[in-house]
Amino acid sequence: MKQPFDEMLQQVQAGAAPWQGQGQGQGGQGQGLGGALFSAENTRAHYRTYLQWLERQPSEVMQRRRDEAEMIFRRVGITFAVYGAKDEDGAGTERLIPFDLIPRVIPRHEWADLEAGLVQRVNALQRFVEDVYHGQQILKAGIVPAAQVLGNAQFRPEMMGVDVPGGVYSHVSGIDIVRAGAADGSGTYYVLEDNLRVPSGVSYMLENRKMMMRLFPELFAMHRVAPVAHYPDLLLETLRGVSPAGVNEPTVVVLTPGMYNSAYFEHAFLAQQMGVELVEGQDLFVRDGFVYMRTTQGPRRVDVIYRRIDDDFLDPQAFRRDSTLGCAGLLDAYRAGNITLANAIGTGIADDKSLYPYVPKMIEFYLGEKPILANVPTYLCRERDDLGYVLEHLGELVVKEAHGAGGYGMLVGPAATKAEIEAFRAVLKAKPENYIAQPTLALSTCPTFVDAGIAPRHIDLRPYVLSGKTVQTVPGGLTRVALKEGSLVVNSSQGGGTKDTWVLEA
């Protein structure tokens, strides 16, 4: 698992900038939007039409468009809650996710390769989850350590032997992708992590596209941008396609923890876009092994639940007894095959960061194929040799919690102070099994419209993969951008923003 650090860096460093061949990203220092920001020879071909348009835009016009976007997002209520943050009155805070006006553009041939890699990876992860809860062949073969799975907090013994409807475990997968590589712009895409429990953010992908079409309709006449607006239709089609056996006209609902959840806007948005009910646990009950929804016309049977609640809170009879968010008896109805849960209980075992390094081997084991998308080289701190190396090189690495999310509980060594590194060292020594480490990637940058003008900012990409009767994607995904200069953390909870993602059809 361990490689020499210098060798790892050679594989993944030297970030590729979308507009320029050089890693600096954007060269508009001190130049207005109407000036010659780039020369033709250092702009990647798929950005040139956009660049020509941007050079004609006065900076004050772009600023007004940005203000308009913020006003509309605030009016519509496109916010997220920040856990632990309080306003001056002591109340919880809701924030807008900053929206950047400059899109991230991906040429069609790059997306075709990405899409093939995403489908391959998700298929292998589906097979892994099914295997874990049935024959456990990959554990018996010694490809993945059994103790790492069976002792994992995300492993649900209650799911052993359960045949889920359609054999699908992760109906909605969000795979985080980063780009790094050669200074000439020919970068390599890497999978940074897999999200197979309740991946979020797709509503921002959709709203960002609507905003760009509203603010800059002329741009869509100049480019053939692949559409994303049909995602809710694909999602509903996927959910209906995996309803329990014998159900011809399934009733689908979205299960939310409630309005105080950080992603509540997205829950309500997707329910509205699909034309299905948004429910909370108190709206559901189980009778005779079936799940029903309370309505003004009386109980109505529910067949598919797109749940946005973690496993622990789904059923107080089976998991956390103190949960008021789920529905008592839901697991029994699920085990009986009378309800479909998207995503399935226990799917989190496939997106645990400590199992991420084994995904390339899963692809070879289950599919008999070489991985199309590479992993970022990773150290497992639960292994003694890896831990020793990580402790010695903390200032050079990114260290993450194996079960963490949202950018919390991580150390970005090159950006940390000596005091922060030493404090993290103590935490790591105390519970090394909770952490993984990776080299600090020189991520690709994308020109971003910030207060000082246009400047390079690091980005990643979360494409969404839908798995039902077929495996489908929408072109692109959610591009997240680290708005703070030099930052590598793109999470909205850590001050990151988002961009529209264009996949060019030609």
Side-chain angles (χ1 to χ4, degrees):
M1 194 67 62
K2 186 166 73 69
Q3 294 175 264
F5 183 72
D6 290 343
E7 181 182 333
M8 297 171 74
L9 289 187
Q10 289 172 7
Q11 293 177 352
V12 296
Q13 281 194 319
W19 280 16
Q20 288 191 305
Q22 300 304 315
Q24 286 84 358
Q26 192 280 332
Q29 301 163 353
Q31 298 181 17
L33 296 180
L37 294 177
F38 305 96
S39 61
E41 60 270 15
N42 65 11
T43 299
R44 298 181 70 197
H46 50 281
Y47 271 97
R48 287 175 187 163
T49 300
Y50 179 84
L51 174 61
Q52 292 166 2
W53 172 87
L54 184 63
E55 288 178 330
R56 300 192 296 269
Q57 308 308 307
S59 58
E60 60 270 16
V61 171
M62 293 292 284
Q63 181 62 56
R64 285 201 302 269
R65 300 283 176 88
R66 187 170 72 165
D67 293 343
E68 181 181 350
E70 181 175 331
M71 177 192 69
I72 294 172
F73 280 154
R74 194 173 298 279
R75 183 183 299 163
V76 174
I78 305 175
T79 61
F80 71 101
V82 182
Y83 296 130
K86 302 291 183 181
D87 61 18
E88 58 186 10
D89 297 321
T93 60
E94 286 197 353
R95 299 177 186 168
L96 289 176
I97 295 182
F99 168 65
D100 183 50
L101 300 178
I102 299 177
R104 189 238 187 103
V105 184
I106 300 174
R108 184 71 202 185
H109 71 275
E110 286 188 10
W111 173 251
D113 292 341
L114 260 177
E115 185 176 39
L118 292 167
V119 170
Q120 179 196 60
R121 192 175 182 98
V122 168
N123 279 334
L125 288 167
Q126 298 271 19
R127 296 277 297 273
F128 171 69
V129 181
E130 181 181 33
D131 186 20
V132 162
Y133 293 113
H134 289 83
Q136 299 185 345
Q137 297 302 315
I138 200 168
L139 307 187
K140 295 173 182 176
I143 305 298
V144 176
Q148 187 63 16
V149 172
L150 304 180
N152 196 292
Q154 297 302 320
F155 174 69
R156 301 292 176 183
E158 300 87 350
M159 289 296 294
M160 288 298 299
V162 176
D163 295 321
V164 301
V168 180
Y169 284 82
S170 183
H171 307 78
V172 184
S173 306
I175 309 298
D176 290 349
I177 303 289
V178 294
R179 192 165 185 267
D184 64 358
S186 58
T188 299
Y189 288 103
Y190 293 87
V191 175
L192 189 61
E193 62 183 57
D194 306 290
N195 298 280
L196 277 75
R197 279 175 285 180
V198 282
S200 63
V202 74
S203 60
Y204 303 110
M205 174 190 80
L206 297 171
E207 288 296 299
N208 287 353
R209 175 60 55 83
K210 288 167 62 177
M211 183 61 69
M212 287 294 288
M213 295 181 75
R214 174 186 178 123
L215 296 179
F216 308 110
E218 69 276 17
L219 281 173
F220 292 87
M222 299 165 59
H223 299 81
R224 292 186 61 190
V225 181
V228 297
H230 59 298
Y231 176 88
D233 297 331
L234 290 181
L235 176 58
L236 183 58
E237 172 190 303
T238 297
L239 297 175
R240 288 181 178 274
V242 291
S243 60
V247 178
N248 296 321
E249 295 294 331
T251 296
V252 179
V253 300
V254 176
L255 175 61
T256 176
M259 63 182 297
Y260 297 108
N261 183 265
S262 64
Y264 180 73
F265 163 78
E266 177 159 295
H267 307 165
F269 174 86
L270 289 175
Q272 187 271 332
Q273 291 290 305
M274 288 191 291
V276 304
E277 295 292 335
L278 178 69
V279 300
E280 297 183 26
Q282 62 189 356
D283 301 320
L284 303 175
F285 67 93
V286 175
R287 185 173 65 196
D288 299 328
F290 293 90
V291 180
Y292 294 87
M293 168 176 54
R294 295 181 173 89
T295 76
T296 55
Q297 286 79 39
R300 180 181 178 185
R301 180 178 162 183
V302 175
D303 306 296
V304 182
I305 298 176
Y306 179 29
R307 52 99 171 204
R308 300 300 295 264
I309 296 177
D310 287 339
D311 290 352
D312 283 339
F313 301 95
L314 274 176
D315 182 349
Q317 290 182 359
F319 303 114
R320 285 188 53 161
R321 303 288 179 178
D322 60 345
S323 172
T324 60
L325 302 178
C327 172
L330 182 60
L331 179 62
D332 288 339
Y334 188 44
R335 290 171 62 93
N338 296 329
I339 187 75
T340 296
L341 295 178
N343 289 346
I345 294 172
T347 306
I349 193 68
D351 67 14
D352 187 277
K353 293 182 180 66
S354 66
L355 289 171
Y356 155 91
Y358 298 99
V359 177
K361 293 182 178 180
M362 295 177 196
I363 293 171
E364 295 187 15
F365 183 80
Y366 294 115
L367 306 181
E369 301 169 357
K370 293 294 184 182
I372 297 171
L373 294 173
N375 272 21
V376 176
T378 302
Y379 290 101
L380 298 174
C381 296
R382 61 183 173 81
E383 296 185 1
R384 188 176 66 176
D385 289 348
D386 283 11
L387 175 63
Y389 186 86
V390 170
L391 291 172
E392 187 178 340
H393 295 85
L394 271 182
E396 303 164 348
L397 300 170
V398 176
V399 188
K400 306 175 184 178
E401 285 185 328
H403 311 302
Y408 296 104
M410 65 185 293
L411 175 79
V412 181
T417 65
K418 289 185 178 179
E420 290 170 337
I421 290 174
E422 292 310 309
F424 202 93
R425 187 188 306 277
V427 173
L428 184 55
K429 285 182 176 179
K431 292 188 175 181
E433 68 278 5
N434 288 352
Y435 294 90
I436 66 164
Q438 296 169 331
T440 306
L441 303 187
L443 303 184
S444 65
T445 61
C446 187
T448 301
F449 190 66
V450 296
D451 291 338
I454 297 179
R457 293 293 184 265
H458 295 294
I459 55 174
D460 78 352
L461 176 67
R462 176 175 289 181
Y464 297 91
V465 183
L466 298 176
S467 302
K469 290 183 176 179
T470 60
V471 180
Q472 306 176 82
T473 68
V474 290
L478 179 67
T479 290
R480 300 182 297 179
V481 53
L483 293 175
K484 183 179 178 182
E485 184 176 3
S487 175
L488 298 174
V489 183
V490 300
N491 305 80
S492 56
S493 56
Q494 309 298 313
T498 65
K499 290 172 171 283
D500 192 12
T501 308
W502 293 2
V503 172
L504 299 185
E505 291 192 317

